Amino acid sequence: MSSASVARPGDPPPEGAPPGGRRAVAVWGTGVSVYFVAVIFRTSLGVAGLDAADRFGVGASALSTFSILQLLVYAGMQIPVGLLVDRLGTKKVLGLGVVLFTAGQLGFAFSPTYGMALASRALLGCGDAMTFISVLRLGSRWFPARRGPMIAQLAGLAGMAGNLVSTLVLARLLHGIGWTAAFAGSALAGAVVFVLLLLFLKDHPEGHEPEPAPHMGAAYVRRQIAASWREPGTRLGLWVHFTTQFPAMVFLLLWGMPFLVEAQGLSRATAGELLTLVVLSNMAVGLVYGQIVARHHGARLPLALGTVAATSLLWAATVYHPADRAPMWLLIVLCAVLGACGPASMIGFDFARPANPPERQGTASGITNMGGFVASMTTLLAVGALLDATGDDYTVAFSSVFVLQALGLSQVLRLRKQAARLERERLVASRVETVHVPA
């Protein structure tokens, strides 16, 4: 008679798995604090978009270039960062990221010209790109694999908390003490987390050192990328991330405030409250999605597709509302639903993670993380260009969202069956390896 061991929520981690525990929480929390600050810096332009337009004397297309360039650098860095994390470890990559995004925030504070401000946002995007993948890798090194979905959602939750700080705190500082003091003062948070990182962060628990990575030559890099990309789970993760994340990202990162103020006639204070609702909804939904996915892996795709459907429906109802302005109740529901986009995008990593061995986790996460940011960058550019071309017609400009959603949805539906089949085969194989035959 034989029996296969299957992990349950209350079971201890299998032999050889990371231990978790308080030490893991403390180390991982240090890494998350870095990501928290990076998101504050990343989303700071979302509450300063109208101020930036006045400060640098630019229109919608030039204003969108700030976020587009920042996301272009971020997306372009994802695979190199994944490779660096696999090769160098979390602490070194996170440390470099802190230095870069803090320098970018300081540069943005003191930039006298549009060009220098652009360069500062690019530097910020480069540092920001090094944070999330590093935090995911840190979680996989310190916690058992079954905790992966919840750890990813909690990391996303910390990011949303950073977004909340920029929406509530930085916005008030900006209009209270001015542009330079607000951005330069916020950069002090980068120095604080850098010290915490140096003092407390460690790549892995004692006794859980990873296998030495091979020399990172060009051939090794190509093999890592190609092997990750060949996995349908990696590609499905990318397209899930692509399809789910970008509507909320576009709304929070730049165009939500101008849309609510200029197209919907709201005050900045009321618009800020609606942006805050997006963040609060994100935090609440993230906890729910994390619990569901951790307990029921089969719920991953229905949650992601349901989020896309709800987002599309509410976005269309708002953009195509027959009145000149959508009613407040509809704007509230839209912002509440947009809050589910971030947690749904985290599900992408739950497709890529089981499809790749530990030595490729950073690379696979980098590929997956590109999805939503490429979609966000493309939509930011499209909205800015369409606003300039149509005389600030948000109905036309915001319709570009549906094109990206349709593209992403077609790829998700194409890849889902193959990825599910391979994941089932791996699960069966792993269970066979754990079969115990009594003596």
Side-chain angles (χ1 to χ4, degrees):
M1 186 176 185
S2 64
S3 63
S5 61
V6 182
R8 293 177 176 84
D11 292 344
E15 185 178 354
R22 293 181 181 178
R23 171 68 171 158
V25 171
V27 173
W28 179 77
T30 301
V32 168
S33 69
V34 175
Y35 177 57
F36 169 77
V37 173
V39 174
I40 294 176
F41 293 179
R42 178 201 302 172
T43 57
S44 58
L45 187 61
V47 297
L50 297 175
D51 300 87
D54 292 338
R55 180 179 176 86
F56 300 111
V58 296
S61 294
L63 182 60
S64 66
T65 303
F66 277 123
S67 296
I68 292 166
L69 178 61
Q70 183 179 332
L71 293 184
L72 177 64
V73 172
Y74 186 105
M77 287 289 293
Q78 290 308 292
I79 292 177
V81 168
L83 291 164
L84 284 174
V85 171
D86 287 338
R87 172 68 180 175
L88 301 178
T90 300
K91 187 169 186 174
K92 292 178 181 178
V93 177
L94 269 182
L96 178 59
V98 174
V99 171
L100 292 176
F101 69 60
T102 302
Q105 187 78 339
L106 273 174
F108 197 57
F110 294 103
S111 294
T113 64
Y114 175 70
M116 290 184 65
L118 272 179
S120 296
R121 296 306 286 187
L123 188 63
L124 192 157
C126 186
D128 182 19
M130 299 181 177
T131 58
F132 188 67
I133 293 175
S134 297
V135 170
L136 288 181
R137 177 59 175 266
L138 197 65
S140 69
R141 289 295 185 192
W142 281 89
F143 294 94
R146 69 173 184 271
R147 304 293 186 194
M150 179 54 70
I151 292 299
Q153 289 291 353
L154 289 175
L157 191 66
M160 282 297 101
N163 200 328
L164 190 62
V165 169
S166 67
T167 302
L168 295 178
V169 179
L170 189 59
R172 293 184 180 181
L173 287 175
L174 187 65
H175 299 119
I177 62 177
W179 178 283
T180 301
F183 280 100
S186 67
L188 293 174
V192 172
V193 294
F194 185 70
V195 173
L196 292 175
L197 181 150
L198 293 178
L199 292 177
F200 301 114
L201 195 135
K202 189 176 180 182
D203 284 339
H204 48 75
E206 295 292 340
H208 292 270
E209 293 81 0
E211 292 292 329
H215 177 68
M216 187 181 279
Y220 167 77
V221 172
R222 287 195 296 269
R223 285 196 303 270
Q224 286 285 90
I225 296 172
S228 295
W229 183 255
R230 279 196 298 269
E231 291 291 345
T234 304
R235 283 176 279 141
L236 178 60
L238 178 146
W239 286 108
V240 167
H241 199 271
F242 178 102
T243 313
T244 53
Q245 187 202 47
F246 78 96
M249 179 71 73
V250 168
F251 202 78
L252 287 172
L253 201 60
L254 185 60
W255 291 121
M257 179 71 77
F259 169 73
L260 294 172
V261 173
E262 297 176 352
Q264 299 300 315
L266 303 181
S267 67
R268 287 197 182 195
T270 303
E273 290 172 357
L274 287 174
L275 294 180
T276 302
L277 175 60
V278 178
V279 177
L280 293 175
S281 173
N282 186 301
M283 297 170 75
V285 173
L287 291 174
V288 175
Y289 278 19
Q291 289 285 358
I292 293 174
V293 173
R295 296 174 182 273
H296 308 285
H297 257 38
R300 291 172 298 173
L301 202 57
L303 284 176
L305 295 179
T307 301
V308 173
T311 303
S312 299
L313 178 63
L314 269 299
W315 195 273
T318 303
V319 170
Y320 301 127
H321 195 273
D324 290 338
R325 295 172 181 173
M328 179 58 72
W329 69 264
L330 182 56
L331 295 175
I332 291 172
V333 175
L334 170 67
C335 290
V337 170
L338 285 175
C341 292
S345 72
M346 294 297 101
I347 295 173
F349 298 100
D350 294 317
F351 287 108
R353 189 183 302 109
N356 292 273
E359 63 270 16
R360 286 208 311 265
Q361 288 296 317
T363 305
S365 295
I367 293 172
T368 300
N369 208 28
M370 285 179 62
F373 290 93
V374 169
S376 298
M377 177 181 61
T378 304
T379 309
L380 285 167
L381 175 62
V383 170
L386 288 170
L387 286 174
D388 281 345
T390 60
D392 294 337
D393 188 335
Y394 280 91
T395 299
V396 175
F398 273 24
S399 296
S400 58
V401 166
F402 302 118
V403 178
L404 275 294
Q405 284 183 322
L407 171 62
L409 187 60
S410 67
Q411 296 303 308
V412 169
L413 296 177
R414 181 178 68 86
L415 290 164
R416 73 190 193 284
K417 290 184 179 179
Q418 186 182 9
R421 177 178 56 80
L422 290 175
E423 188 172 305
R424 284 195 301 270
E425 291 175 358
R426 287 191 176 97
L427 179 60
V428 170
S430 68
R431 286 179 174 175
V432 169
E433 290 176 0
T434 59
V435 168
H436 302 291
V437 180

